[in-house]
Amino acid sequence: RRIITAPHSIAVGRDISVWAVPQEGFLHFSLVPTHRHGAEAGEMKRLEQRIEGQLRTQQDKVGRVLTIQRHFRGQYTRTAYRHAVWLLSLLGRLSVQDEARSASLEEERLAVIVSAFDNIIRPKYKFQLLNLLNSEERVVAEEQLGIMPFLFTPNNLTGFYRLKLSKVGERDIAIKLLERRAALKRDLDRQARQLQGRKGGERSVVERVWRNARHIATSLFKTSTTELGSEALDSYRIPFAGFLEVDFVDLSKPHQQKNEPPIPIASMNPLEFAILLRGLRNKPPRNRLTEIRRISSLKYFNCLQVVALIELFDNISTKERYSRVDVAVCLFSRTIDWRGYRHVIGHVGAALSEDVEYRVGRTNIYHDEASSPVGWWALDLEVEEDRWIMQELVHLAYFEPGTNIVDCAIDDCPFDVPRDWLLYVPRYNRISLFYCRTNAVAERCMQSGSWTGEPPDDTSTWNLSYPPQFEVPTCLEGDVLTATFTRGVLMEWTWTDMERIRTVADVLRKHSKHAVDMFSQIDLDGGGEISPAEFSFGLFRIGIWLPPNHLKLLFFYIDFNGDGDISRHEFCQFWVHAPPLRRNDADQKAYWSFRGMQGPKYDLLVKFYDVRTWYPADLLVEYSMQAPQFTLMPERSLVVKTAYDSATQRLVVLLKETTPSSRRLSIVGGVDRFLPE
């Protein structure tokens, strides 16, 4: 590798990780195949040898369990499925060689599964990992991970099922799920016919109801797994043996048909839901999931209530965080204002949102063209679901006026979508883009269901399917917010800038749970500061490639003092305040205000990220989702009781004096809280 400049040449050397590319000259180099897969295999082999040596030398089970947990918390946190399988087989071999180890084998196997579950690279392998355990071990692992226990609810079928077909009751459930799929397929076939002739080419058949279905046949000598695709399910007959695993998604939505009077919906009023939340907070996480599943069969929820239920699992152990995924999946079909559900998934967390998309399906989360397209999309065109969404975006971009597809890139290289894609979207490459709409297009689509005025189904114009104050960010020609930084640099902001920063922050959070750990990975020389070259190479090493102008902009946002390096404090500040933006977070608002993002555009972006901004503030206080404003009563205290008046749809607050032996925090919205004197 050499730099050739006039009048002399400079050798770069072997370590180019901290080399700053000059602004001029010619770069002469040879591109050699590195056999990356072979290198990774050799690296994994050395890792396995080191772990095997550590486990062999540990004589007590506590030490072996700690060794396993430390291994999955180390630099190989995004471990592969095959590595977890190898570790289980190693424990089995060691227990055969040493009888004393066989007594603790179950505990060590559970440590492998629980530690590796959140770190499996692809979500599809997570439940296959649980299949490596026997039935008793699986129950314990699911309880430790916070996975929703099996509970069949006839009015809410959405969820994960693992059915033992040799049991009559569980086979009957499989038959009912197959019958429900047949009933929903008639509507799906009708929608598929409506999609014929749209731009982007012929749509592939995507299974939207029986997702990730597979039949596991077990015998004395081997276990075989059969994947069940959409075509196989059309003529599928439930067998009498083996296990059936399926992520079932009920696509029926509460809505009013055309030319019909309003239908009564059994939704939870604010007082009912506040009482439910108060009861759930006093229960263990496993019991919370069971109660949520039971209630979801009787009542409908709104997006705010779903977020409140997800936040119930914020302050639990890291291992049980998967409960957030189960709540988001379980309530997918039981939400009235379901057009905002794509933003609800953002509250699950960056590391777990992929699991929700895998189980529910991106084509199901992309409800229709009225509310779903606007935002950032990273699509793998080899995956039929992702290609289906790209075809829809191409169709919309053809008809809707204005600039629609922005910052498009294929395999991280700038790319303009050609006209040929109107006829056929290819089946290869990874594409990323922003889909934008002007204000006029967004309003028309929300009112009539689409820009062309041809809504895809009867639910498109149903007002209750939108949250009360639902908005999406819009782009106009020259619609940017201009501000001057304290360093005297003029910056122009659009909502796509903030969304781009969110995508980078999400990738960072997926690779590490703590800002300090991620800083250490990027700080290659360990000097305590990150230079531009270190920042570029560090992001590239964990899978983030940004164009030079985007990389320079991101570095500029983080390095606020302008000294040319990112300090540990600056990086931690960015980690805390990076999008998604949060309602009433004064520190986060001040952080971005100093960087030029403020005013109406900031307020609109908060609505795009935080579901809580779509609902009245008194509900947030009632659900304890916002710090209430309070005044201290020094002379006497008040007991506050609430009653919901269904006729006027108002929350009545009753105040009553009590003895002066206690002092009361008077809370807006009326939640009982006392402070001892």
Side-chain angles (χ1 to χ4, degrees):
R1 304 183 183 98
R2 302 178 63 194
I3 285 289
I4 303 177
T5 58
H8 56 276
S9 301
I10 303 173
V12 175
R14 296 185 59 84
D15 187 10
I16 66 168
S17 60
V18 294
W19 175 62
V21 181
Q23 300 291 334
E24 57 185 10
F26 297 89
L27 175 66
H28 179 265
F29 63 95
S30 300
L31 189 64
V32 223
T34 58
H35 304 288
R36 181 60 184 162
H37 294 292
E40 288 181 350
E43 189 176 0
M44 186 62 69
K45 185 67 176 178
R46 291 190 294 272
L47 172 67
E48 292 174 352
Q49 292 174 353
R50 184 168 69 252
I51 295 299
E52 182 173 356
Q54 293 176 358
L55 291 177
R56 287 184 181 277
T57 56
Q58 289 287 350
Q59 298 299 322
D60 60 312
K61 68 174 183 180
V62 176
R64 290 192 294 270
V65 170
L66 291 176
T67 299
I68 293 171
Q69 293 174 346
R70 282 196 302 268
H71 164 63
F72 286 107
R73 284 199 302 264
Q75 57 179 328
Y76 294 94
T77 52
R78 303 295 286 175
T79 185
Y81 170 78
R82 62 180 180 273
H83 181 56
V85 174
W86 171 85
L87 200 52
L88 289 177
S89 64
L90 171 63
L91 294 176
R93 294 197 306 271
L94 294 179
S95 64
V96 172
Q97 299 171 4
D98 187 356
E99 295 183 359
R101 294 174 181 250
S102 59
S104 61
L105 178 61
E106 178 179 343
E107 188 172 350
E108 295 170 21
R109 284 166 55 86
L110 287 174
V112 172
I113 298 298
V114 173
S115 301
F117 187 84
D118 286 337
N119 298 316
I120 293 296
I121 296 175
R122 301 181 64 183
K124 66 174 292 184
Y125 291 117
K126 290 191 173 183
F127 283 90
Q128 294 185 24
L129 190 68
L130 292 176
N131 291 336
L132 301 175
L133 302 174
N134 58 43
S135 56
E136 293 80 7
E137 293 173 338
R138 186 184 178 108
V139 171
V140 178
E142 289 180 350
E143 186 172 355
Q144 292 182 10
L145 291 168
I147 297 176
M148 183 173 289
F150 173 72
L151 178 64
F152 179 75
T153 50
N155 295 330
N156 182 18
L157 300 177
T158 301
F160 174 75
Y161 293 84
R162 189 174 193 270
L163 305 173
K164 190 175 183 178
L165 300 179
S166 59
K167 294 184 178 181
V168 177
E170 297 189 18
R171 186 175 184 275
D172 290 343
I173 293 175
I175 294 174
K176 181 176 179 59
L177 296 179
L178 194 61
E179 292 174 348
R180 182 58 181 163
R181 178 187 179 274
L184 293 171
K185 193 173 186 303
R186 290 190 288 268
D187 293 334
L188 294 176
D189 290 342
R190 175 178 58 82
Q191 295 177 18
R193 290 191 296 269
Q194 293 176 350
L195 293 177
Q196 292 180 356
R198 290 168 72 94
K199 304 298 181 181
E202 184 179 357
R203 306 298 191 262
S204 301
V205 178
V206 177
E207 179 56 40
R208 299 177 60 183
V209 182
W210 269 48
R211 295 190 48 78
N212 314 317
R214 52 187 172 268
H215 177 254
I216 304 172
T218 58
S219 65
L220 186 60
F221 301 103
K222 67 175 183 177
T223 300
S224 60
T225 302
T226 304
E227 303 290 338
L228 302 175
S230 183
E231 296 181 359
L233 288 171
D234 291 340
S235 58
Y236 187 62
R237 296 292 181 269
I238 305 296
F240 289 89
F243 290 89
L244 178 65
E245 292 185 352
V246 57
D247 283 305
F248 188 87
V249 182
D250 193 341
L251 299 180
S252 59
K253 302 290 185 183
H255 68 277
Q256 174 187 347
Q257 298 290 344
K258 291 181 178 180
N259 303 322
E260 287 187 2
I263 58 174
I265 297 180
S267 59
M268 301 199 79
N269 62 53
L271 182 59
E272 283 182 318
F273 187 74
I275 295 174
L276 173 64
L277 279 180
R278 195 173 302 179
L280 291 176
R281 290 191 181 103
N282 298 325
K283 295 183 177 181
R286 186 80 163 171
N287 294 349
R288 293 179 198 171
L289 289 172
T290 304
E291 184 66 13
I292 291 172
R293 180 79 187 186
R294 186 188 66 81
I295 294 294
S296 69
S297 185
L298 306 174
K299 297 284 185 177
Y300 286 103
F301 300 83
N302 59 39
C303 288
L304 178 65
Q305 294 170 343
V306 176
V307 171
L309 293 174
I310 290 174
E311 290 183 351
L312 281 176
F313 300 91
D314 277 352
N315 299 322
I316 60 177
S317 66
T318 306
K319 295 177 182 178
E320 296 175 320
R321 286 295 178 89
Y322 198 81
S323 304
R324 302 161 67 89
V325 175
D326 277 323
V327 173
V329 172
C330 171
L331 302 180
F332 175 77
S333 306
R334 304 295 291 179
T335 307
I336 296 176
D337 48 0
W338 42 269
R339 291 190 190 277
Y341 212 82
R342 182 185 173 194
H343 303 275
V344 170
I345 296 174
H347 286 260
V348 175
L352 295 175
S353 58
E354 292 181 2
D355 294 76
V356 181
E357 291 181 348
Y358 172 74
R359 290 179 56 180
V360 175
R362 300 188 84 172
T363 51
N364 294 330
I365 296 171
Y366 181 98
H367 293 295
D368 54 29
E369 56 194 78
S371 59
S372 300
V374 175
W376 166 260
W377 294 97
L379 306 171
D380 185 355
L381 299 182
E382 294 182 2
V383 179
E384 293 297 343
E385 278 190 303
D386 289 6
R387 181 174 178 269
W388 186 93
I389 292 176
M390 188 64 214
Q391 289 174 307
E392 286 296 298
L393 296 179
V394 168
H395 174 83
L396 298 180
Y398 177 78
F399 285 101
E400 294 177 0
T403 303
N404 309 109
I405 297 179
V406 179
D407 286 350
C408 183
I410 276 191
D411 293 336
D412 299 321
C413 298
F415 178 76
D416 291 328
V417 176
R419 291 187 61 86
D420 294 348
W421 283 29
L422 294 173
L423 301 177
Y424 179 80
V425 173
R427 298 178 181 272
Y428 54 87
N429 287 327
R430 296 175 181 268
I431 187 169
S432 59
L433 58 94
F434 287 100
Y435 192 86
C436 305
R437 277 175 172 164
T438 64
N439 190 41
V441 174
E443 290 183 356
R444 180 169 174 176
C445 289
M446 291 177 63
Q447 291 174 1
S448 61
S450 67
W451 171 255
T452 59
E454 300 175 358
D457 54 47
D458 294 338
T459 68
S460 295
T461 57
W462 192 51
N463 291 333
L464 291 182
S465 64
Y466 291 99
Q469 302 173 29
F470 178 75
E471 289 187 66
V472 295
T474 56
C475 284
L476 299 175
E477 294 297 333
D479 179 21
V480 295
L481 181 67
T482 307
T484 302
F485 277 49
T486 55
R487 284 176 280 168
V489 181
L490 190 67
M491 301 297 298
E492 294 181 343
W493 274 90
T494 63
W495 71 268
T496 57
D497 295 323
M498 186 67 77
E499 183 68 354
R500 189 181 296 110
I501 293 173
R502 181 197 63 81
T503 58
V504 175
D506 282 352
V507 175
L508 294 176
R509 289 163 179 155
K510 289 176 184 177
H511 281 80
S512 180
K513 296 181 175 64
H514 304 288
V516 177
D517 295 340
M518 179 53 64
F519 183 87
S520 301
Q521 294 184 38
I522 300 178
D523 183 18
L524 300 176
D525 59 2
E529 291 185 336
I530 299 176
S531 65
E534 284 181 311
F535 188 65
S536 173
F537 188 75
L539 293 181
F540 180 79
R541 195 171 58 165
I542 63 176
I544 302 176
W545 186 90
L546 296 176
N549 56 333
H550 295 172
L551 185 68
K552 184 177 181 180
L553 199 62
L554 180 61
F555 189 90
F556 181 78
Y557 296 149
I558 304 177
D559 177 29
F560 186 62
N561 61 10
D563 63 352
D565 292 312
I566 297 176
S567 65
R568 189 186 304 272
H569 174 72
E570 288 173 331
F571 189 83
C572 292
Q573 286 289 102
F574 171 77
W575 186 278
V576 173
H577 299 303
L581 304 180
R582 297 175 289 274
R583 177 190 176 103
N584 291 342
D585 191 330
D587 293 337
Q588 187 182 47
K589 187 173 184 178
Y591 180 87
W592 291 109
S593 177
F594 281 120
R595 286 153 178 79
M597 173 54 76
Q598 55 190 346
K601 190 169 288 291
Y602 182 89
D603 297 336
L604 180 58
L605 276 172
V606 174
K607 290 187 176 182
F608 186 60
Y609 288 120
D610 197 335
V611 170
R612 293 172 291 188
T613 58
W614 302 337
Y615 298 87
D618 57 343
L619 289 181
L620 303 181
V621 179
E622 186 69 12
Y623 301 160
S624 300
M625 299 174 68
Q626 173 180 310
Q629 299 175 353
F630 61 86
T631 56
L632 188 62
M633 309 296 293
E635 299 292 335
R636 58 178 181 263
S637 64
L638 298 175
V639 173
V640 181
K641 295 185 179 180
T642 59
Y644 183 75
D645 189 346
S646 59
T648 61
Q649 295 186 349
R650 294 193 177 193
L651 194 67
V652 181
V653 182
L654 306 176
L655 307 179
K656 182 180 179 182
E657 288 191 21
T658 62
T659 61
S661 59
S662 62
R663 292 180 180 177
R664 173 71 172 81
L665 285 178
S666 177
I667 297 179
V668 177
V671 182
D672 294 333
R673 291 184 181 176
F674 296 92
L675 287 182
E677 190 168 8

